[in-house]
Amino acid sequence: MHTDRRRIWAQRLDKFCVLAASLVPAGLVIGNIGFEAAIGLVGPAWIVRCAAAKKNPLRKLVRHPLAIPWGVWFLCIVASLLVNGPGSKGWAHDVVFIRYFLFGLALLDISQRLPVARYLLYGLAGGVVWAALNTLSVYLVGADFLGKPLIRYTGKLKEAARISGLSAYAAGFFIGWGILDDRLTGRHKALLLLIGLIAFTQVLQTHVRTAILAAAAGIFFTTAFFIWKRKSRGFFLTMVLMVIFAVGAMIYYRDMINLDSMYDRIYFWRVAWRMWLDHPVFGVGISSFQDAYKEMAASGVIQEYVAPTGVVFSAAEQTHAHSLILMLLSSTGLMGLAAFTWLFVTAVLLIFRNLKSFRYGLLSWPVVLFVIGLTGFNIYHSWYQALLAFMLVLVGVADDSARRPSMAG
């Protein structure tokens, strides 16, 4: 292939990858086909791009702070699979986790040539707006733009789960960016705050309490950081926002205080803890988790949990541990927990190392991840892995990749 043609194809594939990546948030709203297509196309396209350009970026990529811990985390998943064997979901379920790692490597590499952050920021804002429009549609006409019914938006699964997760991260991100970035014009600040408020409203309407708490915690942390950093500047505005969020949530969810789900989780945690004790180093595996949980629950080793109300909780089956730490431990053991901790701490240090522009919005990311992980989402669920990979790329891309302080760049 002629040198000029190779260069042209390499540039086209770079652009294709960032465009596909920017569609991940909207894909999360659409469903499995949407986000899996966006994630799955980036890695292979990037590999083809490297072949077309006749360049091996790995020598440079391994020096990126996120590359090695992210790769080690994936290797821990594979190691647990090799030790335990595949569960009912099959060996491919765990092996194809590599698609998230390749997604990250591809965009970290491409960020040296294209403003990746700018594309992802547009994509994140677009995902929030797309979720809001679909929600409006489903309430007004009974179906979203793809014909999915209202019930998928009002439960804790399906669209409601994915939108609540996406919006929990987006709310703190856009509100934090809008409040803290002094280089933004008043118009851009207003736009970012509006997107953040739309995202927070989306979290509220899903009724997913873990996501609501996580979003509120992320916003609270960002505003507290603002007050500590800027002293009295903007104090009134941030306090008003916090009071509005707190009062609104309490009024809207005054009828949602139900401890039954927490009592249920206590039993989940007991089972997951025992699963880890039996497999301390490698865990039971991700594809094997449901099988191992069912076997442990049926064994009688873990006693039923009797709540103060007298109700007995002993779920015979469960898809995940409902705890970030316990899921990491039970599925991939101490090895997986150590690798994820390495990746998480490295990402947090990267955020604080150079706070400017859109990176102010990332201050809420570790808080949301931690609070959601207390009782909520499965870190190894495909959609949550896609969202995590998207946010990790925002953390890790070159600091100047947004080029300008506004999304309009």
Side-chain angles (χ1 to χ4, degrees):
M1 185 182 291
H2 192 273
T3 302
D4 289 340
R5 181 175 291 182
R6 285 182 176 275
R7 185 176 67 253
I8 291 171
W9 273 105
Q11 292 171 348
R12 288 176 177 174
L13 287 168
D14 274 347
K15 193 69 172 288
F16 173 81
C17 287
V18 294
L19 288 173
S22 70
L23 295 176
V24 168
L28 289 169
V29 180
I30 292 171
N32 289 347
I33 294 177
F35 71 81
E36 288 287 15
I39 290 285
L41 289 172
V42 170
W46 174 64
I47 293 173
V48 173
R49 185 265 168 208
C50 294
K54 289 188 174 181
K55 290 185 178 180
N56 180 8
L58 293 180
R59 293 179 182 177
K60 188 174 183 180
L61 276 175
V62 294
R63 296 198 294 270
H64 192 285
L66 294 180
I68 293 180
W70 202 341
V72 170
W73 188 29
F74 168 69
L75 290 177
C76 290
I77 294 173
V78 175
S80 182
L81 173 66
L82 294 175
V83 170
N84 295 287
S88 57
K89 294 185 177 181
W91 62 269
H93 177 273
D94 293 0
V95 172
V96 296
F97 271 85
I98 195 173
R99 64 193 186 276
Y100 306 111
F101 180 46
L102 288 177
F103 174 87
L105 287 182
L107 295 172
L108 293 177
D109 172 47
I110 296 170
S111 69
Q112 304 304 313
R113 299 181 292 275
L114 291 177
V116 169
R118 186 193 306 174
Y119 287 90
L120 298 191
L121 294 173
Y122 274 118
L124 186 57
V128 171
V129 173
W130 179 246
L133 292 175
N134 274 273
T135 302
L136 282 174
S137 174
V138 82
Y139 275 101
L140 290 174
V141 302
D144 65 10
F145 295 145
L146 296 178
K148 297 176 182 177
L150 175 62
I151 192 172
R152 294 173 68 100
Y153 283 76
T154 57
K156 293 186 177 181
L157 302 174
K158 307 296 183 181
E159 278 67 27
R162 299 193 303 273
I163 289 174
S164 68
L166 170 67
S167 300
Y169 284 99
F173 177 85
F174 286 111
I175 290 176
W177 184 13
I179 289 176
L180 289 167
D181 190 354
D182 285 338
R183 295 190 300 166
L184 293 168
T185 65
R187 182 165 60 89
H188 286 127
K189 279 181 174 288
L191 176 60
L192 292 173
L193 290 173
L194 175 62
I195 296 172
L197 289 172
I198 291 173
F200 190 76
T201 303
Q202 279 289 106
V203 181
L204 291 177
Q205 79 84 26
T206 61
H207 290 234
V208 180
R209 286 172 292 181
T210 304
I212 295 168
L213 291 173
I219 294 169
F220 178 83
F221 178 81
T222 300
T223 52
F225 180 87
F226 174 84
I227 294 168
W228 174 77
K229 194 76 173 177
R230 312 294 175 84
K231 299 299 185 285
S232 61
R233 287 187 59 189
F235 180 83
F236 179 75
L237 172 63
T238 55
M239 287 297 100
V240 168
L241 283 174
M242 291 170 65
V243 170
I244 289 174
F245 290 147
V247 173
M250 285 189 294
I251 293 174
Y252 194 71
Y253 291 96
R254 63 187 182 276
D255 60 340
M256 290 185 62
I257 301 175
N258 183 350
L259 294 179
D260 283 354
S261 61
M262 181 59 67
Y263 297 145
D264 224 11
R265 281 168 169 76
I266 292 175
Y267 183 78
F268 303 160
W269 296 337
R270 286 181 173 180
V271 175
W273 179 258
R274 184 54 188 262
M275 288 163 61
W276 170 64
L277 289 178
D278 289 350
H279 303 81
V281 179
F282 296 99
V284 300
I286 299 172
S287 65
S288 305
F289 179 89
Q290 288 179 251
D291 304 320
Y293 178 96
K294 185 176 181 179
E295 182 180 344
M296 180 63 70
S299 69
V301 174
I302 308 300
Q303 293 184 346
E304 302 169 330
Y305 178 72
V306 181
T309 58
V311 179
V312 177
F313 293 88
S314 57
E317 298 183 30
Q318 189 52 240
T319 58
H320 63 102
H322 287 270
S323 163
L324 171 61
I325 294 176
L326 284 176
M327 189 63 190
L328 290 165
L329 281 173
S330 60
S331 296
T332 49
L334 287 171
M335 178 183 59
L337 177 62
F340 178 81
T341 302
W342 182 13
L343 176 62
F344 176 75
V345 171
T346 301
V348 173
L349 292 176
L350 279 176
I351 293 171
F352 281 93
R353 184 177 298 171
N354 189 16
L355 278 176
K356 64 179 182 181
S357 186
F358 73 91
R359 303 183 70 81
Y360 282 117
L362 291 169
L363 282 171
S364 64
W365 173 77
V367 178
V368 175
L369 179 66
F370 176 76
V371 175
I372 276 183
L374 289 176
T375 63
F377 300 129
N378 177 8
I379 189 67
Y380 290 122
H381 199 292
S382 57
W383 75 262
Y384 198 61
Q385 277 283 311
L387 180 57
L388 176 63
F390 184 91
M391 298 304 296
L392 281 173
V393 169
L394 267 181
V395 171
V397 291
D399 292 331
D400 64 346
S401 60
R403 302 291 175 87
R404 289 177 58 181
S406 72
M407 288 192 304

